[in-house]
Amino acid sequence: MDFKSNKLGGILKIKIILLFLGYGFSNLIIGCESSSIKDQEYIVGTRLDNISSQSDVDNGDTVSLFDKFSSRIHIFNINTMELSESYEVANPKDEHFLIASEPGEFVIDLSRSQITIFSRVHGINRNPIHFLGTPVSSAFNQTNRILIIYDDLNSVGILKLNEQGLVLKSWVGGPIIAGDSSILAGDITSSGNLIVSRSDNSLAIVDLEQSLDQQDWVYTEQTLSRNNIKWLAPIGVDKVLFQSDEALVLYDYVAEVEIDILDTVDLDTKLYSKITDAHVLYKDLNDNYTLAFSDGLSIRTRLLTNIGPNNILQSTLNISQDQWSIVKSNFQNRLNYNHEMFFINSVSYQRVVNSFRFSDMLSLSIQDLPDKAQLKQSGNAILALFPSELGYVKRIDINSGEYTELKLFNMRFL
């Protein structure tokens, strides 16, 4: 983000005035970017900024991107570097956050003004459910094809889709599941249930299929010993990793027991990630990161001294494939003194991708990423969509740095 000197001077004057009034400068700029730690907390699923990266990261064939120059959603086959599908959006000035089905049969477009499902077979379905608020996060179970959409009024939209993207069932519920306690955070488990923490320090496990059938919350609940569980991620088939005020906890919700605990009172959380295995990055006063993750049996930590003071924009951990990759940037926003940015396209300059062999943290590759391009990761590749009216996209191999290109794919839409 680049500001002219006269704008910067005006901001500095405001800063001085606010300091005299007893305000911190962070109070002035907190609305400047939306990518704060707090915005990763108290949500169901993953922020929309990062949701499409999460859904595409395990897809071996396709990546979906919104191209503002053609006002279209493009689905690229990254193996053949072909444009396999393209859909025109009705609201091109909005931001568009995409969830692609694993076989590429449909793509879900979440924008600030509407929800649209583009299906190869069933065509376009606009606003299959309705919100008064604005969607802020989402969760999608690829196996059961159940979609959760969470808005800024804490409404929870639930959709059940078939393999081609046809809506089979839908319902919108409020944040009060029972009694007077509200949903704080949650996600969809591998079995297709919704698990959420609540304001009374309880856990609710929601049967989504039954809730859709009965158009009401169908659930079981458990009382927890932790306060204010603000982030939660499923681990395996019967566990969750959650962050409370005082600790990161691995919890078995079938046995109803805490398995392991990491005291985080003195740690500064920098990044939560659910791509592909859930993990959390913390940072100390010396700019050293600690990576916390779970093998399903315990919480394990690693002190990382080779990352540097860069802003980490995206972290992708695949334990079974012995891979960890991060996208980072040393680009510093002059006005961003107290406000961190965490997502792969929050910064469009000086980005690099660093890949590691996770078992011994051997650094395998460090690759520069193109400036100004919209980036999306899928497996060991990053797709870079450049700002081009004619259309230009590049596939970059994370480990080797080799790339292939596709050009002029927008010509047919001009």
Side-chain angles (χ1 to χ4, degrees), residues 287-317:
D287 285 334
N288 290 323
Y289 284 96
T290 295
L291 172 66
F293 64 100
S294 175
D295 55 9
L297 302 174
S298 64
I299 296 174
R300 297 171 58 182
T301 60
R302 294 181 178 181
L303 180 63
L304 309 173
T305 58
N306 57 343
I307 302 301
N310 304 279
N311 290 321
I312 296 180
L313 308 177
Q314 178 171 289
S315 177
T316 304
L317 175 61

Short mmCIF file of all heavy atoms in Angstrom, two decimals, residues 287-317:
data_model
loop_
_atom_site.label_atom_id
_atom_site.label_comp_id
_atom_site.label_asym_id
_atom_site.label_seq_id
_atom_site.Cartn_x
_atom_site.Cartn_y
_atom_site.Cartn_z
N ASP A 287 11.45 -11.81 17.89
CA ASP A 287 10.96 -12.11 16.54
C ASP A 287 11.17 -13.56 16.15
O ASP A 287 11.25 -13.88 14.96
CB ASP A 287 11.60 -11.18 15.48
CG ASP A 287 11.03 -9.79 15.52
OD1 ASP A 287 9.87 -9.64 15.97
OD2 ASP A 287 11.73 -8.84 15.11
N ASN A 288 11.30 -14.45 17.12
CA ASN A 288 11.37 -15.87 16.83
C ASN A 288 9.98 -16.49 16.91
O ASN A 288 9.22 -16.21 17.83
CB ASN A 288 12.30 -16.59 17.82
CG ASN A 288 13.76 -16.22 17.61
OD1 ASN A 288 14.21 -16.05 16.48
ND2 ASN A 288 14.50 -16.08 18.69
N TYR A 289 9.67 -17.33 15.93
CA TYR A 289 8.38 -17.98 15.90
C TYR A 289 8.44 -19.34 16.59
O TYR A 289 9.44 -20.06 16.52
CB TYR A 289 7.93 -18.20 14.46
CG TYR A 289 7.42 -16.97 13.76
CD1 TYR A 289 8.26 -16.21 12.95
CD2 TYR A 289 6.10 -16.55 13.90
CE1 TYR A 289 7.80 -15.08 12.30
CE2 TYR A 289 5.63 -15.43 13.26
CZ TYR A 289 6.48 -14.69 12.45
OH TYR A 289 6.01 -13.58 11.81
N THR A 290 7.35 -19.72 17.23
CA THR A 290 7.12 -21.06 17.73
C THR A 290 5.94 -21.65 17.00
O THR A 290 4.86 -21.04 16.95
CB THR A 290 6.86 -21.07 19.25
OG1 THR A 290 8.02 -20.62 19.94
CG2 THR A 290 6.51 -22.47 19.73
N LEU A 291 6.14 -22.81 16.42
CA LEU A 291 5.08 -23.52 15.71
C LEU A 291 4.49 -24.57 16.64
O LEU A 291 5.21 -25.41 17.18
CB LEU A 291 5.64 -24.19 14.46
CG LEU A 291 4.71 -25.15 13.70
CD1 LEU A 291 3.54 -24.38 13.10
CD2 LEU A 291 5.48 -25.87 12.60
N ALA A 292 3.18 -24.50 16.87
CA ALA A 292 2.48 -25.48 17.70
C ALA A 292 1.53 -26.27 16.82
O ALA A 292 0.75 -25.70 16.05
CB ALA A 292 1.71 -24.78 18.82
N PHE A 293 1.60 -27.59 16.93
CA PHE A 293 0.75 -28.47 16.12
C PHE A 293 0.46 -29.73 16.92
O PHE A 293 0.99 -29.93 18.02
CB PHE A 293 1.45 -28.82 14.80
CG PHE A 293 2.71 -29.61 14.95
CD1 PHE A 293 2.73 -30.99 14.77
CD2 PHE A 293 3.91 -28.98 15.29
CE1 PHE A 293 3.90 -31.72 14.92
CE2 PHE A 293 5.09 -29.71 15.44
CZ PHE A 293 5.08 -31.08 15.26
N SER A 294 -0.39 -30.59 16.37
CA SER A 294 -0.74 -31.82 17.07
C SER A 294 -0.59 -33.01 16.14
O SER A 294 -0.97 -32.94 14.96
CB SER A 294 -2.17 -31.75 17.61
OG SER A 294 -2.54 -33.00 18.18
N ASP A 295 -0.06 -34.10 16.69
CA ASP A 295 0.00 -35.36 15.97
C ASP A 295 -1.19 -36.25 16.32
O ASP A 295 -1.24 -37.42 15.95
CB ASP A 295 1.30 -36.09 16.26
CG ASP A 295 1.53 -36.32 17.75
OD1 ASP A 295 0.60 -36.06 18.54
OD2 ASP A 295 2.63 -36.75 18.12
N GLY A 296 -2.17 -35.69 17.03
CA GLY A 296 -3.33 -36.44 17.47
C GLY A 296 -3.17 -37.05 18.84
O GLY A 296 -4.15 -37.46 19.47
N LEU A 297 -1.92 -37.13 19.33
CA LEU A 297 -1.63 -37.70 20.64
C LEU A 297 -1.20 -36.64 21.64
O LEU A 297 -1.37 -36.81 22.85
CB LEU A 297 -0.54 -38.77 20.52
CG LEU A 297 -0.85 -39.94 19.58
CD1 LEU A 297 0.38 -40.85 19.46
CD2 LEU A 297 -2.06 -40.73 20.07
N SER A 298 -0.61 -35.57 21.16
CA SER A 298 -0.11 -34.51 22.02
C SER A 298 0.00 -33.22 21.22
O SER A 298 -0.16 -33.21 20.00
CB SER A 298 1.26 -34.90 22.60
OG SER A 298 2.22 -35.02 21.55
N ILE A 299 0.31 -32.13 21.92
CA ILE A 299 0.66 -30.87 21.28
C ILE A 299 2.17 -30.79 21.22
O ILE A 299 2.85 -30.93 22.24
CB ILE A 299 0.10 -29.66 22.05
CG1 ILE A 299 -1.43 -29.70 22.07
CG2 ILE A 299 0.59 -28.35 21.42
CD1 ILE A 299 -2.06 -28.62 22.92
N ARG A 300 2.71 -30.58 20.05
CA ARG A 300 4.15 -30.48 19.88
C ARG A 300 4.51 -29.05 19.46
O ARG A 300 3.73 -28.37 18.78
CB ARG A 300 4.62 -31.49 18.84
CG ARG A 300 4.35 -32.95 19.27
CD ARG A 300 4.61 -33.93 18.17
NE ARG A 300 5.99 -33.85 17.67
CZ ARG A 300 6.43 -34.61 16.67
NH1 ARG A 300 5.62 -35.47 16.06
NH2 ARG A 300 7.69 -34.49 16.27
N THR A 301 5.68 -28.61 19.86
CA THR A 301 6.13 -27.26 19.53
C THR A 301 7.53 -27.29 18.96
O THR A 301 8.35 -28.15 19.32
CB THR A 301 6.11 -26.33 20.76
OG1 THR A 301 6.98 -26.87 21.76
CG2 THR A 301 4.71 -26.20 21.32
N ARG A 302 7.80 -26.33 18.08
CA ARG A 302 9.14 -26.16 17.52
C ARG A 302 9.48 -24.68 17.51
O ARG A 302 8.70 -23.86 17.02
CB ARG A 302 9.21 -26.70 16.09
CG ARG A 302 9.04 -28.20 16.01
CD ARG A 302 9.12 -28.71 14.58
NE ARG A 302 8.99 -30.15 14.54
CZ ARG A 302 9.05 -30.87 13.42
NH1 ARG A 302 9.24 -30.26 12.25
NH2 ARG A 302 8.92 -32.18 13.46
N LEU A 303 10.64 -24.35 18.07
CA LEU A 303 11.14 -22.98 18.00
C LEU A 303 11.81 -22.79 16.65
O LEU A 303 12.74 -23.54 16.29
CB LEU A 303 12.13 -22.71 19.13
CG LEU A 303 12.73 -21.30 19.17
CD1 LEU A 303 11.65 -20.25 19.38
CD2 LEU A 303 13.80 -21.21 20.24
N LEU A 304 11.37 -21.80 15.90
CA LEU A 304 11.88 -21.57 14.55
C LEU A 304 12.75 -20.33 14.55
O LEU A 304 12.25 -19.21 14.71
CB LEU A 304 10.70 -21.40 13.57
CG LEU A 304 9.62 -22.50 13.63
CD1 LEU A 304 8.45 -22.11 12.75
CD2 LEU A 304 10.21 -23.84 13.20
N THR A 305 14.03 -20.53 14.37
CA THR A 305 14.96 -19.40 14.38
C THR A 305 15.39 -18.99 12.98
O THR A 305 16.16 -18.04 12.82
CB THR A 305 16.21 -19.75 15.20
OG1 THR A 305 16.82 -20.92 14.64
CG2 THR A 305 15.84 -20.01 16.65
N ASN A 306 14.91 -19.70 11.95
CA ASN A 306 15.36 -19.41 10.59
C ASN A 306 14.27 -18.77 9.74
O ASN A 306 14.37 -18.74 8.52
CB ASN A 306 15.84 -20.71 9.92
CG ASN A 306 14.76 -21.79 9.89
OD1 ASN A 306 13.79 -21.70 10.62
ND2 ASN A 306 14.96 -22.79 9.06
N ILE A 307 13.23 -18.24 10.37
CA ILE A 307 12.13 -17.61 9.62
C ILE A 307 12.38 -16.12 9.45
O ILE A 307 12.08 -15.53 8.42
CB ILE A 307 10.79 -17.84 10.33
CG1 ILE A 307 10.52 -19.34 10.47
CG2 ILE A 307 9.65 -17.18 9.56
CD1 ILE A 307 10.48 -20.09 9.16
N GLY A 308 12.95 -15.49 10.46
CA GLY A 308 13.20 -14.06 10.38
C GLY A 308 11.99 -13.25 10.81
O GLY A 308 10.93 -13.79 11.10
N PRO A 309 12.12 -11.92 10.82
CA PRO A 309 11.05 -11.06 11.32
C PRO A 309 9.97 -10.76 10.27
O PRO A 309 9.21 -9.81 10.41
CB PRO A 309 11.80 -9.78 11.69
CG PRO A 309 12.93 -9.72 10.71
CD PRO A 309 13.33 -11.17 10.48
N ASN A 310 9.90 -11.55 9.20
CA ASN A 310 8.95 -11.29 8.14
C ASN A 310 7.51 -11.50 8.60
O ASN A 310 7.23 -12.23 9.55
CB ASN A 310 9.21 -12.23 6.95
CG ASN A 310 10.63 -12.13 6.44
OD1 ASN A 310 10.97 -11.24 5.70
ND2 ASN A 310 11.47 -13.07 6.86
N ASN A 311 6.59 -10.86 7.90
CA ASN A 311 5.17 -11.14 8.08
C ASN A 311 4.86 -12.47 7.38
O ASN A 311 5.10 -12.61 6.19
CB ASN A 311 4.30 -10.04 7.45
CG ASN A 311 4.39 -8.75 8.22
OD1 ASN A 311 4.44 -8.76 9.44
ND2 ASN A 311 4.39 -7.64 7.52
N ILE A 312 4.36 -13.44 8.11
CA ILE A 312 3.94 -14.70 7.51
C ILE A 312 2.50 -14.53 7.03
O ILE A 312 1.60 -14.25 7.83
CB ILE A 312 4.06 -15.87 8.50
CG1 ILE A 312 5.53 -16.09 8.87
CG2 ILE A 312 3.49 -17.14 7.90
CD1 ILE A 312 5.77 -17.22 9.84
N LEU A 313 2.30 -14.70 5.75
CA LEU A 313 1.00 -14.46 5.15
C LEU A 313 0.16 -15.73 5.03
O LEU A 313 -1.05 -15.67 5.05
CB LEU A 313 1.17 -13.84 3.75
CG LEU A 313 2.06 -12.61 3.67
CD1 LEU A 313 2.19 -12.15 2.23
CD2 LEU A 313 1.49 -11.49 4.53
N GLN A 314 0.82 -16.86 4.88
CA GLN A 314 0.11 -18.14 4.79
C GLN A 314 1.03 -19.26 5.24
O GLN A 314 2.21 -19.28 4.90
CB GLN A 314 -0.37 -18.41 3.36
CG GLN A 314 -1.10 -19.75 3.20
CD GLN A 314 -1.75 -19.90 1.85
OE1 GLN A 314 -2.74 -19.26 1.54
NE2 GLN A 314 -1.18 -20.76 1.01
N SER A 315 0.45 -20.19 5.99
CA SER A 315 1.21 -21.35 6.47
C SER A 315 0.43 -22.61 6.13
O SER A 315 -0.76 -22.73 6.45
CB SER A 315 1.41 -21.25 7.99
OG SER A 315 2.08 -22.39 8.48
N THR A 316 1.10 -23.56 5.46
CA THR A 316 0.47 -24.80 5.02
C THR A 316 1.27 -25.97 5.55
O THR A 316 2.45 -26.12 5.22
CB THR A 316 0.42 -24.86 3.48
OG1 THR A 316 -0.25 -23.71 2.97
CG2 THR A 316 -0.29 -26.12 3.01
N LEU A 317 0.64 -26.79 6.39
CA LEU A 317 1.31 -27.93 7.01
C LEU A 317 0.64 -29.22 6.58
O LEU A 317 -0.57 -29.40 6.74
CB LEU A 317 1.25 -27.80 8.54
CG LEU A 317 1.82 -28.97 9.35
CD1 LEU A 317 3.29 -29.18 9.05
CD2 LEU A 317 1.58 -28.74 10.84
#
